[in-house]
Amino acid sequence: MSELYLLPGDGDEGGWAERALCAQTDPEAFFPEKGGSTREAKRVCLTCEVKDECLEYALLNDERFGIWGGLSERERRKLKKKAV
């Protein structure tokens, strides 16, 4: 498995998830209640240096909840459909 896809705690020291800006902010912003705002999380993602790695991880691992790489669950589903 590539180092890129491992999250902290999976034996990946200094990996992309540890450099992610969301690791330094309130995690609840990235997993809002149904109908809740995603604006705050997406704003953090805009300037994150590992946004692409995060999105790739979410797509490859079929993450169904939360904001990953600046996209919501619905936005990731649309992106996957376009790729097929």
Side-chain angles (χ1 to χ4, degrees), residues 8-36:
D10 290 339
D12 180 26
E13 294 182 30
W16 68 264
E18 290 179 357
R19 297 189 324 269
L21 290 178
C22 61
Q24 303 165 30
T25 59
D26 181 11
E28 289 186 27
F30 294 86
F31 296 93
E33 296 290 324
K34 187 170 183 156

Side-chain angles (χ1 to χ4, degrees), residues 20 46 76 80:
L46 279 174
R76 290 192 305 275
K80 281 182 108 170

Side-chain angles (χ1 to χ4, degrees), residues 8 12-13 17 23-24 33 36 38 41 43 45 47 49 53 57 59 65 69 71 73 82:
D12 180 26
E13 294 182 30
Q24 303 165 30
E33 296 290 324
T38 61
R43 190 176 310 126
C45 292
T47 59
E49 70 179 57
E53 291 90 336
Y57 173 87
L59 293 171
F65 301 100
L71 299 181
E73 310 94 280
K82 284 183 182 180

Side-chain angles (χ1 to χ4, degrees), residues 46-62:
L46 279 174
T47 59
C48 185
E49 70 179 57
V50 296
K51 179 173 75 172
D52 294 338
E53 291 90 336
C54 179
L55 178 57
E56 186 173 357
Y57 173 87
L59 293 171
L60 289 173
N61 291 281
D62 200 26

